């Protein structure tokens, strides 16, 4: 086993890995950006090193800096978590070349599965069923149209070859939507994965997203830990996961078949560590038989965000098993040892406003209290005072519950959501409470009707609490407080005695509601006629969020229709489409591509046509 491991990540997954290292009696090293100076993962690890300011490319994605910290700290291995460098084959190779163990699969497996077209080709050769479509990249919109008309038909999914996590995924329901879908998938592929190539798949209109967890070691042992149903999604990104799938959806025979597909896929690339085979399950398959079908979608060559639900139903610590496998140990379990018990559900607690079509809602957490009790687990990387930055993804925490069956687990989750208090920040807690109380969830549906129902989403808006009055200066007493200092980039803790920090200037609110003084987003994709009553006038459209102006599709003087796409704002790793709140002429357009924009800043002034 290793003596010391560097965790090349942030947030809840970094804390999760450090805890596993503690239990394995292995030293931990954290890295952090300037924005994350006071983040829990920094203080939780045995050592911590500052990677500097700027965007993720300058710190968490900077291979040279991370390998330098590994050298300086004496770390023998690096755990990448998920995201950032987790599925970066050149990084895995660089680790190997410098004598540092990459805790994950070999670079060859990452490379093979990192390209979705290559992965489809490999799986097809291994006899694993794939969604009908192309196994080679498609160069142009014209080429795509020819292939669709000849082989696939509409609706079609256009997907980035290097994509994942919902990025680089667009759907064209008809021919007139193909160009926008093709360009959008290619653009996101280039932005997030440095690969603009795309491929095509038959789009299954309402499939279930069912995946299987696999574990493999360097001794040829491969097992699966059952399936997870991740069908509750927005923008092809998961919101709620459960394990196992509802029993009336997936029978034992299909469960065994899906598990075997996962094992075969892992063996096909000589996999090592924890990985996930994602697939699409259709209860009503292709004619003429209409038998249920399961198709390979992609392999995530890393620990998944939702690994927790599988840990709850199997009792197997997936993170620790992955570390042991990287250290050369054999798996502690065989396939016969894997037994699923009860039911687990995970809700992603994101800093998003569901009532604004899941618009990112970065900000500071003013008060924080996690739920507890039997069968409740919270994986978080925040505390009171933490800042949820638009520089990173919007996840605040993961709330996981376990109980004897799905119905009881649902009730336990609703209880836990009611106990969860996050003051000063809009989160998805109100959304989760409403969806889990719905008949659709009880029936085990994909809930797409709710997720696409703008009226239902708008009903989730919550009122904020009043701001508390600040304390009088004369009532303040001196306190002993802990601070952190850095020497040559390494973090040390010191104590200082003095007055407490001043109280926050904005209010707190329970259960993920926004503070009364928070900036109020005006519009995103949900722009409608109610803008006429906005405080900034009937003509001004304001930004609903903070981010970067990725693309501007109109110019001053243009005549636009209500609902027409005006621009795209990138925030928290998501593209947010901003539409016109009314029809008319754009008389002012104070925005520039590539420039930052603040929540509430004007995007356009639209005057009604005379």
């Amino acid at each position: 086993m290793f003596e010391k491991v560097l965790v090349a990540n942030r947030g809840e997954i970094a804390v999760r890995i450090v805890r596993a290292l503690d239990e394995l009696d292995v030293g931990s090293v954290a890295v952090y950006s300037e924005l994350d100076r006071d983040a829990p993962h920094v203080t939780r690890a045995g050592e911590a090193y500052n990677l500097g300011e700027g965007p993720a490319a300058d710190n968490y994605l900077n291979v040279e800096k991370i390998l330098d910290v590994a050298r300086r700290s004496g770390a023998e291995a690096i755990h990448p978590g998920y995201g950032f460098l987790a599925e970066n084959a050149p990084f895995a190779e660089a680790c190997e070349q410098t004598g540092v163990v990459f805790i994950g699969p070999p670079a060859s497996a990452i490379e093979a599965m990192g390209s979705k077209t290559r992965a489809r080709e490999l799986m097809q050769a291994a006899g694993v069923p794939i969604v009908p479509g192309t196994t080679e990249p498609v160069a142009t919109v014209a080429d795509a149209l020819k292939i669709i008309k000849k082989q696939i038909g509409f609706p079609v999914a256009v997907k980035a070859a290097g994509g994942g996590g919902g990025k680089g995924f667009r759907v064209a329901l008809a021919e007139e939507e193909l160009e926008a879908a093709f360009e959008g998938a290619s653009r996101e592929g280039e932005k997030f994965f440095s690969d603009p190539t795309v491929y095509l798949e038959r789009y299954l209109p309402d499939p279930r997203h069912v995946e299987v967890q696999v574990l493999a070691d360097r001794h040829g042992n491969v097992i699966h830990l059952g399936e997870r149903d991740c069908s509750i999604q927005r923008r092809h990104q998961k919101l709620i996961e459960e394990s196992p799938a509802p029993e009336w959806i997936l029978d034992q025979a299909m469960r065994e078949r899906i598990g075997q597909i996962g094992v075969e896929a892992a063996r096909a690339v000589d996999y090592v560590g924890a990985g996930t085979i994602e697939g699409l399950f259709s209860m009503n398959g292709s004619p003429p038989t209409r038998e249920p079908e399961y198709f390979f979608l992609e392999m995530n060559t890393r620990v998944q965000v939702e690994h927790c639900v599988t840990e709850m139903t199997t009792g197997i610590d997936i993170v620790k098993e992955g570390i042991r496998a990287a250290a050369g140990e054999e798996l502690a379990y065989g396939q016969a040892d894997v037994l699923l018990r009860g039911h687990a559900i995970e809700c992603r607690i994101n800093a998003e406003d569901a009532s604004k079509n899941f618009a990112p809602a970065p900000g500071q957490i003013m008060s924080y209290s996690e739920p507890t009790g039997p069968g409740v687990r919270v994986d978080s990387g925040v505390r009171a005072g933490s800042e949820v930055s638009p520089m990173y993804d919007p996840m605040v925490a993961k709330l996981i519950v376990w109980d004897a069956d799905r119905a009881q687990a649902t009730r336990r989750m609703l209880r836990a959501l009611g106990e969860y208090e996050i003051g000063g920040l809009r989160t998805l807690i109100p959304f989760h409470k409403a969806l889990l109380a719905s008949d659709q969830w009880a029936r085990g549906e994909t809930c797409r009707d709710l997720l696409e129902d703008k009226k239902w989403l708008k009903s989730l808006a919550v009122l904020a609490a009043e701001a508390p009055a600040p304390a009088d200066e004369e009532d303040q007493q001196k306190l002993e407080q802990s601070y952190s200092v850095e020497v040559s980039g390494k973090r040390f803790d010191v104590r200082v005695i003095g007055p407490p920090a001043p109280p926050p200037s904005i209010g707190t609110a329970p259960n993920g509601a926004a503070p009364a003084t928070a900036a109020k987003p005006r519009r995103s994709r949900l722009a409608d006629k109610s803008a006429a009553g906005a405080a900034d006038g009937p003509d001004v459209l304001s930004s609903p969020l903070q981010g970067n102006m990725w693309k501007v599709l109109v110019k001053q003087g243009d005549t636009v229709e209500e609902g027409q796409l005006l621009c795209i704002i990138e925030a928290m790793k998501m593209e947010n489409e901003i539409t016109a709140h009314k029809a008319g002429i754009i008389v002012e357009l104070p925005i520039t591509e590539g420039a930052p924009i603040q929540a509430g800043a004007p995007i356009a002034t639209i005057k009604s046509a005379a």
Side-chain angles (χ1 to χ4, degrees):
M1 181 51 69
F2 309 113
E3 292 293 325
K4 188 183 290 187
V5 171
L6 187 154
V7 182
N9 216 298
R10 65 182 297 278
E12 63 84 17
I13 189 59
V15 174
R16 171 71 181 90
I17 296 166
V18 168
R19 285 173 171 158
L21 293 170
D22 284 350
E23 293 173 15
L24 292 170
D25 198 24
V26 175
S28 57
V29 180
V31 291
Y32 60 98
S33 68
E34 191 63 30
L35 279 173
D36 283 339
R37 174 183 292 276
D38 298 315
H41 81 276
V42 178
T43 54
R44 187 66 182 76
E47 301 175 37
Y49 291 78
N50 190 338
L51 296 176
E53 299 179 346
D58 295 338
N59 36 72
Y60 292 112
L61 289 170
N62 191 310
V63 173
E64 185 177 338
K65 285 184 178 180
I66 288 174
L67 290 177
D68 179 60
V69 171
R71 177 188 59 79
R72 291 162 56 198
S73 65
E76 304 159 83
I78 295 177
H79 198 309
Y82 58 74
F84 292 131
L85 294 170
E87 295 179 281
N88 187 304
F91 176 62
E93 290 176 353
C95 288
E96 184 178 345
Q97 290 169 4
T98 56
V100 177
V101 176
F102 178 82
I103 298 180
S108 58
I110 298 174
E111 188 171 8
M113 289 302 188
S115 169
K116 308 310 177 188
T117 52
R118 175 64 177 148
R120 284 167 56 81
E121 187 179 1
L122 280 172
M123 293 302 102
Q124 192 174 52
V128 175
I130 64 173
V131 179
T134 63
T135 55
E136 295 291 333
V138 180
T140 66
V141 176
D143 290 341
L145 185 58
K146 290 178 184 177
I147 294 170
I148 293 166
K149 287 185 174 180
K150 186 176 181 180
Q151 301 177 19
I152 305 173
F154 287 100
V156 67
V158 185
K159 306 177 77 173
K167 309 292 192 303
F169 186 123
R170 293 288 193 277
V171 176
L173 299 176
E175 182 176 337
E176 58 269 21
E177 298 178 1
L178 179 60
E179 183 174 358
F182 190 98
E183 291 178 354
S186 178
R187 183 174 64 247
E188 283 199 352
E190 182 173 24
K191 179 170 60 177
F192 293 111
F193 310 103
S194 301
D195 183 359
T197 58
V198 301
Y199 66 100
L200 306 174
E201 281 183 352
R202 187 177 87 194
Y203 179 66
L204 306 176
D206 193 27
R208 302 193 75 87
H209 186 115
V210 178
E211 61 189 34
V212 59
Q213 176 73 55
V214 296
L215 287 173
D217 60 27
R218 301 184 190 279
H219 305 275
N221 301 306
V222 184
I223 64 172
H224 71 85
L225 305 184
E227 85 282 356
R228 295 186 287 258
D229 191 327
C230 311
S231 300
I232 309 298
Q233 302 186 12
R234 59 97 176 87
R235 303 175 193 166
H236 310 293
Q237 293 177 317
K238 302 164 190 171
L239 295 171
I240 301 175
E241 301 96 350
E242 58 182 318
S243 179
E247 59 184 5
W248 58 91
I249 301 294
L250 211 65
D251 60 24
Q252 188 59 32
M254 181 58 75
R255 174 171 291 116
E256 291 175 2
R257 182 187 172 202
I258 290 174
Q260 191 56 39
I261 286 173
V263 170
E264 291 170 359
R267 289 190 187 281
V269 292
D270 297 321
Y271 199 80
V272 175
T276 298
I277 307 301
E278 300 202 7
L280 295 178
F281 176 67
S282 177
M283 296 183 66
N284 300 307
S286 303
T289 62
R290 291 295 180 186
E291 291 292 320
E293 294 178 298
Y294 184 77
F295 298 110
F296 169 86
L297 186 61
E298 63 185 21
M299 183 175 192
N300 288 315
T301 54
R302 53 173 168 79
V303 65
Q304 287 278 88
V305 174
E306 61 273 17
H307 72 276
C308 319
V309 289
T310 299
E311 290 182 333
M312 299 287 271
T313 55
T314 63
I316 296 174
D317 190 314
I318 293 169
V319 175
K320 286 199 286 192
E321 284 301 303
I323 295 169
R324 291 189 179 111
E329 298 182 15
E330 288 195 59
L331 294 180
Y333 306 87
Q335 193 61 62
D337 299 319
V338 180
L339 299 174
L340 301 184
R341 176 175 171 268
H343 199 94
I345 302 170
E346 173 181 286
C347 288
R348 299 192 185 194
I349 310 301
N350 294 346
E352 297 177 18
D353 188 348
S355 70
K356 300 287 185 182
N357 200 26
F358 299 97
Q364 187 176 22
I365 297 173
M366 307 311 298
S367 61
Y368 186 76
S369 177
E370 295 177 350
T372 57
V376 176
R377 166 179 169 180
V378 179
D379 281 18
S380 71
V382 300
R383 57 189 165 214
S386 292
E387 185 81 24
V388 180
S389 168
M391 296 285 287
Y392 306 115
D393 69 52
M395 185 178 292
V396 175
K398 301 179 304 194
L399 175 59
I400 311 103
V401 303
W402 177 93
D403 213 322
D405 56 38
R406 189 175 189 265
Q408 292 183 78
T410 298
R411 289 194 290 273
R412 178 163 285 173
M413 177 61 83
L414 287 169
R415 185 267 294 173
L417 287 165
E419 291 181 5
Y420 211 149
E421 295 185 7
I422 305 175
L425 194 72
R426 290 187 186 272
T427 74
L428 292 184
I429 289 176
F431 162 81
H432 288 309
K433 291 168 71 174
L435 189 137
L436 289 172
S438 70
D439 292 338
Q440 290 91 328
W441 169 264
R443 292 192 294 264
E445 297 177 8
T446 61
C447 300
R448 282 183 176 82
D449 58 334
L450 294 178
L451 289 161
E452 296 172 2
D453 185 340
K454 294 182 179 181
K455 184 177 179 180
W456 183 78
L457 290 174
K458 284 184 178 181
S459 72
L460 303 178
V462 289
L463 295 176
E466 292 296 325
D472 293 334
E473 264 187 49
E474 60 185 18
D475 294 333
Q476 295 180 358
Q477 298 179 352
K478 289 185 177 181
L479 298 175
E480 182 180 288
Q481 296 177 288
S482 295
Y483 293 91
S484 298
V485 298
E486 289 173 5
V487 179
S488 299
K490 185 174 180 180
R491 181 188 178 98
F492 295 90
D493 294 324
V494 297
R495 291 181 300 165
V496 176
I497 298 175
S505 59
I506 64 174
T508 60
N511 298 331
T517 56
K520 297 181 179 179
R522 298 285 182 198
R523 297 282 166 262
S524 60
R525 195 64 183 173
L526 293 179
D528 60 27
K529 294 180 180 179
S530 64
D536 53 358
D539 299 331
V540 178
L541 174 66
S542 300
S543 176
L545 68 161
Q546 177 184 350
N548 285 303
M549 188 59 64
W550 174 250
K551 194 173 185 65
V552 179
L553 297 106
V554 293
K555 61 183 183 297
Q556 189 170 327
D558 282 357
T559 299
V560 296
E561 298 296 324
E562 180 182 341
Q564 182 175 332
L565 183 61
L566 303 181
C567 61
I568 300 172
I569 298 175
E570 179 193 351
M572 291 179 153
K573 297 172 123 181
M574 291 188 291
E575 289 188 357
N576 300 271
E577 297 181 344
I578 308 300
T579 61
H581 61 296
K582 60 183 288 187
I585 300 171
I586 299 176
V587 296
E588 292 183 22
L589 192 69
I591 54 176
T592 306
E593 284 189 4
I597 187 168
Q598 298 297 315
I603 288 177
T605 300
I606 302 175
K607 294 283 188 182
S608 300

